[in-house]
Every structure is written in structure tokens, then in C-alpha cells.
Amino acid sequence: MVFTRKRKRKFLNSDRKNPGHDLMETAVDVKNVPTHVAIIMDGNGRWAKQRLMNRVRGHEQGAKTVREIVTVCREIGVQYLTLYAFSTENWQRSPAEVSALMHLLKKFLVSERDLMMKNQIRLNAIGQIGRLPEDVQSELAHTMDMTRENSAMVLNLALSYGSRAELTRMVKRIAAKVRDGSIDVDAVSEDMISDHLYTRLIPDPDLLIRTSGEMRISNFLLWQIAYSELFITQTLWPDFTRDEFLQIIRNYQLRDRRFGRV
Ligand code: IPE
Ligand code: IPE
Ligand code: MG
């Protein structure tokens, strides 16, 4: 569904007349929505374990949460949503789990294409894309190509992504330019560093959410989150809902972002 600003407001306020509904949700301020939300989607394995199921069932359920959260982000006007889907460290999981995750990713790319087109969502990917299986790479390229002109929101998937690998790649690229004389050492700046990361066309996250309660960053966007607001919820990713997401947005909107000033 496409939301104009007026319809967006109507959508956000529509629950005010519903007394049973959590008041927190009604209070999202459409003028102060974070431009970029990044999420560490964690807890799929524990969700499955609680139910005596295979971890893969947790990942399947997690894919449903992805659809719900992409949809709510689009509705409230988030412009960039980055989802940490697979880390460079996740390659060390069992071959069965890695291959199930790759299969799910491919399935997601195919099944969500229509939704992305209908909602004007552009797909982007960051990470070591060349390490993904060929069939996943080709679905990814196809989806990115197909959604290239979509301009309402960017869905940015972090795939085989690790921040240290990204920073190492950046240093090598800048060092090579210094060596061949195309830039001077003194020209190296924070902006130049940002321009050599996978995220070069994407503003830094305003809000970083991690599900499942772990108090760590796990090699995600180390440079980019310098001034992001952090929110960690105990909820496991497959149990995470649009309502809880909207509560987090509301919490974000109450914060005072000082950026080192007073
Ligand atoms: C997050 O869930 C998904 C990926 C890392 C791919 P986990 O698979 O890490 O789930 P837990 O942390 O074991 O519960
Ligand atoms: C972080 O979760 C990576 C993703 C969500 C893709 P992990 O489950 O891999 O991280 P750790 O092992 O808890 O740090
Ligand atoms: Mg985990």
C-alpha cells in the first residue's frame, strides 16, 4: 500500500479510537521518523530451541518477521532499512545451517519481489557478495536490477557482512590510491573513509536495534554507528512485531541526540 503523508498520519492515528490498543503506538511522530534504521536480527535459533524444533524453523519464522518489519518501515516513512542477515562469522556454522540460510535468502528474494515493486522499495546489498552461492548472487542481482528505480525506501541487506572486513577493504583501497599518487595522504578524511565503505551511498544509521537481548555489536557497522541510538530488546527475532517496532520508534523520538554538544 502506498502512503501519502496525509494517509500516513491517518494510519498512525487510526488506533486512537480503539481503546484496547497500546497508546504507545498512536504516538509515532511522522515528522521525526529515523531516516535509517539498522537491525541485528538475532534469536532465531533460540526461538526454535524453545519449541524443540530445528534451528532452520527459527530462520523460516524470522523471514516472516522481515516482511512485517519492512512493511511497517515503509508505512511510517523510514528511508533506509539495513538488516544484518548473515555475518562473515556465520560461515563457521554447520554446512546444513549455512545452506538452509542461503536457500531461505533466495526464496525471500523471489517471494518478496512483488511486494518491493508494489511498495516502491529498492533492494541493495552490502558485504562480500562474491562469497554467496552463484544462484543466490544471480537472484540478488536480478532483484536489485528490477527494483533499481524504486525510490520510496531502500532495503539494504547485510550479507556475508563484517565490519572489520569492510574497514580492511577500505584501508587497502585508500592505500592503493595513495601509492599510485592519485590522492595525497593529507587528503584522507572522514568523508573519504565513508566513501570507501559498502555503505557509501547510505547515511549513517539513526537507530540500531538488536533483538534477543545480547549486549554486543557482533561486527556490524562499526564506523557507521558512531552516533546511532541503540535499542536492545529481549524479544527473539521471530517474536518481534510491528507493535514493538513502533514502540521502539516512539522511544527513539523521546531521546535527546546531542552529538557531543550540550
Ligand atoms: C539470527 O539468529 C540469524 C542469523 C545469525 C543468521 P541466530 O541464528 O543467531 O539465533 P540464536 O542467536 O542462535 O538464537
Ligand atoms: C549477528 O548474530 C549476526 C546476524 C544477526 C546476522 P550472531 O548470532 O551471529 O552473533 P553472536 O554470535 O551472538 O555475536
Ligand atoms: Mg545469534
Side-chain angles (χ1 to χ4, degrees), residues 40-42 84-87 90 93 210 214 216 218:
I40 302 175
M41 310 184 287
D42 197 17
Y84 202 6
F86 194 86
S87 73
N90 290 151
R93 294 190 180 190
R210 182 169 188 149
E214 307 296 353
R216 54 178 173 257
S218 301

Side-chain angles (χ1 to χ4, degrees), residues 4-132:
T4 61
R5 172 151 282 209
K6 202 168 157 202
R7 284 185 64 194
K8 218 157 48 180
R9 208 180 294 276
K10 188 162 167 258
F11 157 76
L12 290 167
N13 292 336
S14 60
D15 291 313
R16 240 173 226 156
K17 294 181 205 85
N18 178 356
H21 205 278
D22 190 338
L23 267 176
M24 294 293 277
E25 175 167 348
T26 64
V28 168
D29 172 4
V30 291
K31 293 191 294 300
N32 183 24
V33 169
T35 302
H36 183 178
V37 177
I39 308 182
I40 302 175
M41 310 184 287
D42 197 17
N44 294 351
R46 274 161 285 172
W47 183 92
K49 195 175 177 197
Q50 283 175 354
R51 290 161 179 77
L52 307 176
M53 291 171 173
N54 187 287
R55 295 178 57 83
V56 175
R57 280 288 298 121
H59 296 314
E60 284 167 9
Q61 200 62 33
K64 294 184 186 164
T65 306
V66 171
R67 171 184 262 250
E68 184 168 331
I69 299 308
V70 168
T71 305
V72 67
C73 282
R74 172 66 180 86
E75 286 171 1
I76 67 171
V78 169
Q79 286 173 45
Y80 300 87
L81 172 64
T82 297
L83 299 177
Y84 202 6
F86 194 86
S87 73
T88 47
E89 288 73 27
N90 290 151
W91 289 112
Q92 296 166 63
R93 294 190 180 190
S94 75
E97 183 170 350
V98 170
S99 109
L101 281 165
M102 292 302 146
H103 179 76
L104 264 175
L105 172 59
K106 188 174 154 187
K107 215 173 102 182
F108 175 85
L109 291 169
V110 176
S111 68
E112 303 310 290
R113 247 172 227 155
D114 283 354
L115 191 82
M116 288 187 235
M117 291 311 293
K118 212 170 75 191
N119 289 302
Q120 279 292 302
I121 297 168
R122 176 176 180 176
L123 186 76
N124 187 56
I126 58 171
Q128 305 163 330
I129 303 309
R131 280 182 82 178
L132 302 174

